Amino acid sequence: FDSIEREAGIDPAFYPGIEAGQAFVLGNRLKMVEDRKRFPGIAQEKIEKPLFILGLPRSGTTLLQALLTADPAARGTLHWELLNPSPPPESASYDSDPRIAIAEQQVAGMDKSLLTRHPFAARLPEECGRLFDMTVMNQGTFGSYYVPGYLHWLLAQDFSTAYPMHRMGLQHFQHRHRGDHWVCKSNKHLFTM
């Protein structure tokens, strides 16, 4: 936020919205930490055989992710659960969870030009790299704002603190709704693997 404030050259009237977005993401992280206390089995979940789809933006990775997660044995991170991860989703209500409607409302309010570039829907698989956002390591920030200070800081990171959060997220999502294997996709992995 300091880099946005100092370098981005945006109207300060937008700062409260930016702060609210970051607070929302970090609030989700805190909720997941609390869920690990309420459901101690989350920390025991083993992440086995994850498949990582890597590719540049607009190269077909979203289509490949959708195809590979169509396998009933596969597990992907759906938009609705990344948006509101707490409490861990359950198999019994996975297709009817009330958080799906919240995500549908959010998607309905999105800029339509964005939806032509990247399909969003509550029940579609979405980029697992959004879990990195909970560590404040988000390559999307420098795509949205002119923030060279943040960019230089981020490129100097080895993501050793981000991947444990990624693992924690996958453990969280599979605790009460598992699959045989994970299908993970994000161009953020190109910077970090």
Side-chain angles (χ1 to χ4, degrees), residues 53-81:
I53 299 169
L54 304 176
L56 295 173
R58 315 282 69 81
S59 65
T61 55
T62 300
L63 181 61
L64 181 58
Q65 179 188 28
L67 179 65
L68 293 176
T69 56
D71 175 358
R75 179 77 164 87
T77 50
L78 300 190
H79 179 64
W80 73 264
E81 58 190 346

Side-chain angles (χ1 to χ4, degrees), residues 3 12 26 52 71 90 116 139 146 160 172 180 185-186 188:
S3 190
L26 295 176
F52 287 84
D71 175 358
E90 296 182 66
T116 62
Q139 295 94 330
Y146 177 74
S160 62
H172 182 87
D180 179 58
K185 189 270 293 195
S186 177
K188 293 176 182 181

Side-chain angles (χ1 to χ4, degrees), residues 49-115:
K49 302 185 292 183
L51 173 67
F52 287 84
I53 299 169
L54 304 176
L56 295 173
R58 315 282 69 81
S59 65
T61 55
T62 300
L63 181 61
L64 181 58
Q65 179 188 28
L67 179 65
L68 293 176
T69 56
D71 175 358
R75 179 77 164 87
T77 50
L78 300 190
H79 179 64
W80 73 264
E81 58 190 346
L82 284 164
L83 186 63
N84 288 297
S86 178
E90 296 182 66
S91 291
S93 60
Y94 195 70
D95 293 323
S96 62
D97 192 293
R99 293 173 285 185
I100 295 170
I102 295 168
E104 287 171 341
Q105 287 179 319
Q106 186 245 5
V107 170
M110 285 181 165
D111 183 331
K112 301 306 177 218
S113 66
L114 173 63
L115 298 175

